[in-house]
Amino acid sequence: MKRFLSIILASIILISGTGVSYGTAPTLEEVVNQRKNVGADIEFLNSVLDMIDDRYPFPVSEDELIKGGVKGILRTLDPHSDYYTKEEAESLMSMTTGEIVGIGVVIELADGMINIRQIIADSPAEKAGIQENDKIVSVNYESLLGLTLPEVSNRIKGKVDTSVKITVARGDGYMDFDVVRKAIKINPVKFEILNGNIGYMEIDEFSYGLSKYTQMAFMEMDQRGSKKLILDLRNNPGGLLNEAIKLSDTLVPKGEIVHIRYKDDMETYKSKTNGKDYKIIVLVNENSASAAEIVAGAIKDRGVGKLVGTRTYGKATVQSMMPITDGSIVKMTIGEYLTPGKEPINGIGIEVDYEVKNTGTEDMQLKKAIELIR
């Protein structure tokens, strides 16, 4: 229990700094010198730990208390600061690198079932015969009833070249598939030409390597003489700052892209290109966040395009990933995004130029974008 106390106090010091430090944890004396009321803090924490020792009727490990304590400290800061165990960290990093080890399916929770919304082309799932809209009912014969999507995803993923048994409901029956996990490279960009001359680019997230896929799409547009772009950032939760900067640099002419306000200073990212000579419409909604809001804000504020849909989410903070020696990660908010015009986004969102809501089966937002870009 005493080790729990010292680590908790060391963590308080770790998250209070503005930089990233990978040195040894501070001594208790150093902690004491940096906190005015440390005596009261120690007394309070010790009393809680004593209550757990004396009264808590179920088994609890010191490791669980340590991780829970660190999570609690970080989550008190804001919803985007957190602590990830080694296993959680590996899952988190796979999402931002654009590569995961799994079977190549995109899942969703629909009517209480784990539905396969998409099969990634040339993936192990596709080769095994799993189909879109199959319902996954068990993994390795273990029921998925009551599990969250991340929990299901973690059961499906594993080490490269290991096998996992997937049972799906299809029609009126059930089917078993033995699928060998592989490294899956995810292309976050869907691109097509609409109505002969309108480039339509949908970006799922700003993962590592995104610019490679967007540049391929822009090359196709240029080769076909298309000067009209619908950029679909709806339901895009964000991702890597540098990928948002790269895309903005391609589309926005020389000048400001985004300002980042840190605790003691301000950093400005600028476009170094002349931009694209495109007519641009950006589709956004209430789930467009973070890096997606950087791009949308840059295009709107710099006057190179219009926004269609609904006000964006309003998640405009910068998180730093701080690795711990055991493989876990501390993620902490260190800054705030501002648009080129220095308008705040966090907790507010970006207002669209044309508000359109999708209430039925027809995509009225895309329909409006096509109408405007013509």
Side-chain angles (χ1 to χ4, degrees):
M1 287 300 185
K2 298 302 180 186
R3 188 168 75 92
F4 167 63
L5 177 61
S6 64
I7 290 180
I8 288 295
L9 291 173
S11 299
I12 292 171
I13 298 304
L14 170 65
I15 66 173
S16 67
T18 56
V20 179
S21 174
Y22 306 115
T24 58
T27 65
L28 185 58
E29 182 180 0
E30 291 170 331
V31 174
V32 170
N33 289 335
Q34 293 183 55
R35 294 183 60 82
K36 294 180 181 179
N37 299 317
V38 69
D41 292 337
I42 292 176
E43 184 178 350
F44 170 71
L45 287 173
N46 269 329
S47 66
V48 173
L49 295 173
D50 287 341
M51 280 189 281
I52 293 173
D53 273 342
D54 294 341
R55 306 292 296 275
Y56 191 69
F58 302 106
V60 59
S61 71
E62 185 177 290
D63 188 57
E64 289 175 311
L65 292 175
I66 291 170
K67 292 173 181 176
V70 174
K71 280 182 181 288
I73 291 172
L74 290 164
R75 289 176 179 177
T76 299
L77 297 176
D78 59 59
H80 310 295
S81 297
D82 209 339
Y83 169 79
Y84 297 88
T85 65
K86 180 180 179 181
E87 294 74 23
E88 292 168 340
E90 289 172 352
S91 177
L92 176 69
M93 297 310 294
S94 73
M95 293 191 311
T96 57
T97 59
E99 183 175 275
I100 60 173
V101 174
I103 64 173
V105 296
V106 178
I107 58 175
E108 63 183 355
L109 191 61
D111 298 324
M113 299 286 287
I114 304 298
N115 182 60
I116 297 179
R117 181 164 62 88
Q118 180 186 348
I119 304 286
I120 296 173
D122 201 35
S123 66
E126 182 183 66
K127 293 176 180 178
I130 296 175
Q131 300 178 5
E132 291 182 4
N133 296 316
D134 281 349
K135 307 294 188 295
I136 304 178
V137 296
S138 71
V139 175
N140 290 328
Y141 298 117
E142 294 184 7
S143 172
L144 305 181
L145 190 64
L147 297 185
T148 64
L149 284 178
E151 289 170 336
V152 173
S153 178
N154 286 335
R155 291 197 179 192
I156 294 173
K157 290 184 292 187
K159 294 182 179 179
V160 174
D161 293 332
T162 60
S163 179
V164 59
K165 186 172 289 292
I166 305 294
T167 303
V168 306
R170 182 186 300 172
D172 296 327
Y174 296 90
M175 303 180 70
D176 290 331
F177 297 90
D178 283 310
V179 189
V180 177
R181 300 178 178 103
K182 296 291 182 181
I184 309 294
K185 191 68 179 178
I186 300 173
N187 180 353
V189 177
K190 300 179 181 68
F191 177 77
E192 60 181 309
I193 298 292
L194 303 177
N195 298 345
N197 68 342
I198 301 173
Y200 172 78
M201 181 187 299
E202 180 183 358
I203 300 178
D204 291 334
E205 62 178 341
F206 286 83
S207 56
Y208 179 78
L210 170 73
S211 56
K212 176 180 69 175
Y213 299 106
T214 57
Q215 291 303 321
M216 290 168 58
F218 292 140
M219 286 177 59
E220 183 175 343
M221 284 185 65
D222 294 341
Q223 289 169 359
R224 297 180 63 162
S226 173
K227 297 293 183 181
K228 301 175 181 179
L229 172 66
I230 295 176
L231 179 62
D232 194 342
L233 300 180
R234 292 176 294 180
N235 302 310
N236 185 316
L240 300 177
L241 170 64
N242 67 325
E243 293 295 346
I245 299 299
K246 288 178 184 178
L247 179 58
S248 300
D249 184 68
T250 300
L251 297 175
V252 175
K254 292 178 181 178
E256 289 86 356
I257 292 174
V258 67
H259 307 281
I260 300 182
R261 183 187 67 81
Y262 296 105
K263 186 173 184 178
D264 298 316
D265 63 350
M266 181 92 73
E267 183 176 12
T268 299
Y269 288 86
K270 296 183 178 181
S271 172
K272 300 179 180 63
T273 73
N274 294 321
K276 288 283 189 182
D277 186 22
Y278 293 162
K279 184 175 183 179
I280 303 173
I281 299 292
V282 184
L283 289 172
V284 293
N285 63 8
E286 62 279 5
N287 296 316
S288 303
S290 191
E293 292 176 290
I294 289 177
V295 176
I299 289 173
K300 180 182 179 181
D301 271 26
R302 295 296 307 283
V304 297
K306 299 293 184 181
L307 273 54
V308 173
T310 57
R311 184 184 291 270
T312 62
Y313 182 82
K315 190 275 181 185
T317 54
V318 186
Q319 279 73 46
S320 177
M321 301 290 192
M322 308 179 207
I324 309 300
T325 53
D326 66 353
S328 61
I329 285 179
V330 168
K331 182 179 74 167
M332 189 180 72
T333 297
I334 61 168
E336 174 190 15
Y337 301 135
L338 304 174
T339 70
K342 295 189 177 178
E343 293 295 326
I345 303 170
N346 197 50
I348 301 170
I350 301 174
E351 187 177 355
V352 295
D353 297 291
Y354 299 90
E355 183 171 7
V356 181
K357 295 182 179 180
N358 282 340
T359 55
T361 55
E362 186 176 6
D363 192 341
M364 299 302 297
Q365 294 169 340
L366 178 57
K367 185 177 180 180
K368 180 66 174 180
I370 294 173
E371 173 192 318
L372 290 169
I373 210 163
R374 280 176 172 169

